[in-house]
Amino acid sequence: MKKKWLPDLFFIALLLVLAYIPWKQLTELVIRGDGFVYMVSSTINEFFNRDYFYTGFELSAASLGWLLPKLYKTNISYYFYTSLFVMMLINTLFYILLRVITKHKFISFLGALLFAVNYFGNFDMYSQHCYCFFMERIVAVPFILTAFIFLHMYIEKNKLKYYLISIAFYFFAIGISHFGVLFTAPFILYPFFWYVFAKKLDKRFFIKGIMIGLSFLAIS
């Protein structure tokens, strides 16, 4: 089992090194503009004094805006190290997602690398352009990716525990960051089309694919 995973560990390590090289200067930026909005005490107090504050779309942002200044104070680079760490975690999970779907290590590595070093897709979300983007939207992505990994494992292996884990991660991701609803479509369509192509339109699996997708739609 250890030997089986050694090549994957090598590709993940290589991915993280190659992704770190173009993004390492992220930690030299400064927070500016709307990036401070969730770190201001008046904003935090207003949010947490609401009735049912946990239903607000800013839950992850307000929580991080409360926590990170207590941990890092005015050490601005620490905030961006956190952003960089989450970025690398997402890159790793994206590799794992491609790996469990394609079953091919090198293809998964190339796909994850293109994803990881994409400047236009990543810079605004992780940089100081609007640091609240990171706190509002990015922190939910690791949970979304994990949910999708277990969704694939469920429809491939038909083990209920994988479905329950997927639902739990998806529920938590949507709960802490309502921007996660933007990921709803893949969770609806993926199980449906999996059964369409894998089971040759068997009516039982056709209905099962629809029901799985609807369960994620219900959470959204």
Side-chain angles (χ1 to χ4, degrees), residues 16-201:
L16 295 181
V17 170
L18 294 177
Y20 175 76
I21 291 172
W23 290 110
K24 61 183 178 181
Q25 290 181 305
L26 189 69
T27 59
E28 299 175 14
L29 299 178
V30 294
I31 302 172
R32 62 189 178 97
D34 291 341
F36 283 110
V37 68
Y38 291 113
M39 299 183 188
V40 178
S41 58
S42 58
T43 303
I44 299 299
N45 292 335
E46 188 276 330
F47 177 81
F48 286 111
N49 285 329
R50 298 176 190 172
D51 293 333
Y52 308 110
F53 64 82
Y54 44 81
T55 63
F57 74 90
E58 318 99 317
L59 179 56
S60 66
S63 299
L64 287 176
W66 171 82
L67 176 63
L68 295 185
K70 294 182 181 298
L71 295 176
Y72 303 151
K73 301 194 184 307
T74 57
N75 297 299
I76 302 299
S77 65
Y78 292 1
Y79 294 88
F80 287 102
Y81 273 116
T82 300
S83 181
L84 188 60
F85 171 79
V86 174
M87 177 191 288
M88 295 304 165
L89 175 60
I90 290 173
N91 294 339
T92 301
L93 289 171
F94 195 72
Y95 170 87
I96 295 172
L97 174 61
L98 295 179
R99 181 72 170 90
V100 299
I101 292 175
T102 67
K103 308 295 190 268
H104 197 291
K105 294 182 282 292
F106 190 63
I107 290 176
S108 302
F109 168 74
L110 288 180
L113 181 63
L114 289 173
F115 170 82
V117 300
N118 187 316
Y119 174 84
F120 294 101
N122 289 314
F123 183 73
D124 272 358
M125 291 293 180
Y126 291 100
S127 75
Q128 89 280 36
H129 167 246
C130 186
Y131 193 69
C132 54
F133 287 169
F134 170 77
M135 295 194 293
E136 286 176 347
R137 307 173 192 186
I138 298 301
V139 292
V141 175
F143 302 101
I144 289 286
L145 289 174
T146 303
F148 204 91
I149 289 169
F150 280 99
L151 171 62
H152 174 84
M153 293 172 63
Y154 168 65
I155 61 178
E156 183 179 53
K157 301 180 184 299
N158 198 33
K159 292 186 177 180
L160 181 61
K161 65 179 181 180
Y162 293 145
Y163 172 73
L164 296 177
I165 293 172
S166 177
I167 283 287
F169 272 98
Y170 188 78
F171 181 86
F172 185 76
I174 298 297
I176 63 171
S177 179
H178 294 184
F179 290 102
V181 298
L182 296 174
F183 290 90
T184 303
F187 284 87
I188 296 175
L189 299 177
Y190 188 76
F192 170 76
F193 284 106
W194 171 274
Y195 288 120
V196 166
F197 289 106
K199 302 298 181 180
K200 309 300 182 184
L201 287 178

